[in-house]
Amino acid sequence: MQCHNFNKDWTFEKADQADRLKAFYGNSNAVAVTLPHDAMIREKRDKDCPSGAQSGFYPGGVYTYEKKFMAQNEWKKQDVFLEFEGIYGIARVWINGSLAAVNRNGYMGFSVDLKPWISYEHENIIRIDVDNSKQPNSRWYSGSGIYRDVNLWTGKDVYISHDKLRITTLSVNDDMAVIEVCAQLKNIIGHGLEAECLIEIKKDGQKTASDTQRVVFRSEQMQTVRVQIPIEHPKKWSPKQPALYECHITTKFDDKICDEAVSNFGIRVLALDPVCGLQINGETVKLRGTCIHHDNGVIGAETFKEAEWYRCKRLKEAGFNAIRSAHHPMSRAMLDACDHIGMLVMDELTDMWDKEKNTYDFSDIFEDEYNQWINHMVEKDYNHPSVIIYSVGNEIQEAGTKQGAWINRMLCNKFHELDNTRYTTNALNGLNCAGRRLGFIMRDVAEKFGMDSHGSGSGGGSNALNSFMSLMSGEKGEFFAKHPLVSEALEECSQSCDITGLNYLSGRYELEHELHPAKTVLGTETYPADIENLWKLVETYPHVIGDFTWTGYDYIGEAGVGIFHYDGNANFTSIYPERLGYIGDIDLIGNRRPISYFREIVYGLTDKPYIAVERLEHAGQTADKTAWMFKDNISSWTWKGFEGTTANVDVYSSGDEVELFLNDKSLGRKPAGRENHFTASYEVPYEPGTLKAVAYQKDRKLGEYELSTAKSVTKLKVCRVTENERNIAYIKIWLVDDNGTINSQEAEKRLLHASVVGNGVLEGFGTANPSSEEDYFSDSVTTFDGSALAAVRWKDVKSKEPAVLKVWTDDGCQVMNSVYFKHEHRSFNEIT
């Protein structure tokens, strides 16, 4: 089938919840939009909204989208479908006033057959009613409306059905790979026929193998073509070398081309055992993983290929090689990015089964719809070499029951029925699974350790659960994880999964091997600050195949999980105007935080040391802290006004020793490396200048890292940080001094203003500030830690007219650089 982008020329209107028929009465308040479009990020935040901190205090609503179009005459002899990759909220699709489809799971794509509803004589009207007013539903920021692409698919004569082309690696070695190409073809010509199907395999534009099949059809019949194709001297796909091939399929009838389809794929086979762990093409790979939510920061839930690639690339640069989609299927755009960049994927089905976590979540439709969810997910994922694991659920509350064990096995079997090339897991949480056993377990925990009062989170949903879970860390968590009743609760669900997935239960890793020596274990969700201990377990035990931290990239919603409070407030108490989780290794606009560099050192990926300084504005103060939090530090030696104040300085290093210098004066050598938690700590009275760390291994210099004090802000450094843009570009803005040194001090923050002229609009403008009332869709923002991010979207992707972004401050800071770039016929210019 042929894909046509259907994103342009829509109108959008926020509907009156009291009048559900208003959408049919006209468009007096409608505005023109181009999809994707997130309606929630454009809402005014409300401290009293029902979902509270879970959504970052963004309320839901009722919305309508409308588009008018003329049906093409050739469609009369074609199949025509509309594909919606994502509409968050209960979506009712009306075509010319008739209800054509209803979709209730906002994380699942779906398709609508247009043929029964369209007119060829008159203009057609498609209207989407989206109801996301019933809050709370998701336990994190969901977005609202049509937040992903809409595609029009057309098929004529003999065509290849959408998502029905599958490429499987049957075997591979250095000399030869054998792949199987399986395609579902449909004949709609109206009579029986014999068609030709040409299959070509290409690498970097060059044909490497091919086959031709003659296919006999009866009238209006579907037929499956299945062929094995050998590829000599294959380029194998792996996270280190993500080599991709293209499979081209062409159907012909009477020497006329009917359809053409292309799919990327990678040559790779998977293996799993408790001795060698997870293997890709025979090589053991440990998963350096992170969980991520689906939003794209300052543009909300809007899904653009450029935005997904930016997130994926930043995570890969930070040392991760695996992503877990939390807690819903991953977007097509992110899967594409993972294939090209070399990021492994655990794709997750859902956050709940039959038992609700929030009042209006998807638990009430799970039984009716899980089959179609799994079908859609496997069809979407199948050709992506990055996808290696399907997760059937996250912290499922009924997992410790007999019914939960039955559901778990059924879901795993369904995935294997549709795809026997990948593995299944379930992200099991001991607190959730314990059920009726929890009281007995906590009694034993209290008898051994006592129970403190911390963790009395409010706001329900993720706040309440996370607050309780924060008690289960350290020795207490180890004891809890190994409790016999926890083993009993986890047993049956873990048996039917290929991989035992454990959330915050690292204390069970060794025990699991004793109980189930034939199985592998995966940390499906773990505390970020515990990475040193967690990675040691991964390295020590062959049956432990990796670790997925919560989380690698910051996100909207679950607000305050990682925010440091110095004013007596406690985490998990739904504090307005907090809106970010603020526990990402990478902040909301793509800046790596100190824990990211610490993790990279623990992973063994760099010998270069790193300096982190606890924020001097909070020197001597005590903050509330959760198990997800690391340290309130930053890589900066600019603290004007704090001269003489003692700074707590950490030097992270894999070397056995580090030496710290202040203005070329040695502050002494201290032990570091694994034996000293990869950290050497210093107390340094602040004075401006240069702070330099040198790392050594047996007196051999490994590397060095340097911080310099910035002077007052005089300039703005502006730089495009995305690449290969087709729809949207990210532009990072930093505050710098005359020498170009970034000044991240809070006292030097600036109010930035931005405008876009020409062929572009400002799609988002914001910072990594976790607690702010500023609007991401405003044309001004106050910098945070010395930086901000602008997202500029092209109005017309076919126009040659450039877009010009102007950024300035009230005090007239000079823009120190001008960046011009052009992609194909699209151009963009950043100037003062």
Side-chain angles (χ1 to χ4, degrees), residues 84-91 103-110 130 132 137-138 142-148 294 301 328-329 362 365 369 373:
F84 299 92
E85 292 190 21
I87 304 179
Y88 200 88
I90 299 173
N103 186 69
R104 298 178 183 276
N105 186 335
Y107 296 117
M108 289 289 170
F110 66 102
V130 185
N132 193 25
N137 45 66
S138 260
S142 65
S144 294
I146 311 178
Y147 67 100
R148 289 185 178 158
H294 75 304
H328 43 68
F362 304 136
I365 59 174
E369 299 191 5
W373 296 352

Side-chain angles (χ1 to χ4, degrees), residues 512-526:
E512 281 291 336
H513 189 56
E514 295 172 3
L515 296 174
H516 308 107
K519 299 209 60 159
T520 55
V521 169
L522 177 60
T524 40
E525 191 169 320
T526 59

Side-chain angles (χ1 to χ4, degrees), residues 573-820:
T573 51
S574 206
I575 303 169
Y576 183 83
E578 295 176 351
R579 65 174 156 194
L580 308 185
Y582 203 57
I583 47 175
D585 280 25
I586 301 172
D587 71 22
L588 195 76
I589 64 174
N591 298 317
R592 292 178 64 183
R593 299 170 70 190
I595 189 175
S596 173
Y597 294 91
F598 179 75
R599 186 184 304 277
E600 188 179 13
I601 289 168
V602 172
Y603 282 156
L605 299 177
T606 182
D607 288 329
K608 186 177 180 180
Y610 184 82
I611 301 174
V613 182
E614 290 197 49
R615 298 178 187 266
L616 282 185
E617 63 261 35
H618 297 302
Q621 299 179 25
T622 301
D624 188 61
K625 191 176 180 182
T626 73
W628 285 269
M629 296 160 73
F630 187 55
K631 294 182 179 181
D632 193 10
N633 54 12
I634 187 172
S635 190
S636 173
W637 197 240
T638 303
W639 304 100
K640 185 178 179 180
F642 291 92
E643 288 76 9
T645 302
T646 298
N648 294 318
V649 177
D650 284 344
V651 180
Y652 306 137
S653 176
S654 61
D656 55 22
E657 266 192 324
V658 298
E659 187 171 13
L660 189 64
F661 296 85
L662 177 59
N663 295 326
D664 297 324
K665 179 182 178 181
S666 175
L667 303 181
R669 287 195 181 195
K670 290 193 175 186
R674 185 183 297 275
E675 296 301 316
N676 295 280
H677 309 293
F678 301 98
T679 304
S681 297
Y682 292 81
E683 291 185 350
V684 184
Y686 174 68
E687 65 178 61
T690 301
L691 194 64
K692 183 173 74 172
V694 180
Y696 304 94
Q697 187 68 32
K698 296 182 179 178
D699 288 327
R700 178 178 63 87
K701 183 177 176 181
L702 289 179
E704 62 182 52
Y705 186 88
E706 186 173 289
L707 294 175
S708 295
T709 303
K711 298 177 182 178
S712 294
V713 173
T714 58
K715 299 180 181 181
L716 302 179
K717 180 181 177 182
V718 182
C719 184
R720 156 185 154 254
V721 293
T722 45
E723 55 191 353
N724 299 323
E725 296 90 345
R726 293 180 180 272
N727 295 285
I728 198 168
Y730 282 173
I731 298 90
K732 191 79 69 68
I733 303 115
W734 290 273
L735 302 179
V736 298
D737 64 12
D738 283 332
N739 298 319
T741 303
I742 296 173
N743 190 325
S744 56
Q745 190 170 7
E746 182 68 10
E748 287 281 345
K749 65 186 177 184
R750 295 289 192 279
L751 181 65
L752 301 181
H753 305 280
S755 69
V756 181
V757 297
N759 183 32
V761 295
L762 191 63
E763 189 73 5
F765 192 31
T767 72
N769 189 343
S771 183
S772 170
E773 293 191 88
E774 292 182 319
D775 188 345
Y776 292 141
F777 280 83
S778 172
D779 58 5
S780 62
V781 68
T782 304
T783 57
F784 179 76
D785 284 347
S787 62
L789 181 75
V792 176
R793 185 177 185 180
W794 281 274
K795 293 178 183 177
D796 183 354
V797 296
K798 295 182 179 180
S799 173
K800 294 182 179 180
E801 180 188 7
V804 178
L805 170 68
K806 297 182 178 181
V807 184
W808 68 96
T809 65
D810 291 329
D811 60 352
C813 288
Q814 177 187 354
V815 176
M816 64 178 291
N817 59 327
S818 176
V819 180
Y820 176 84

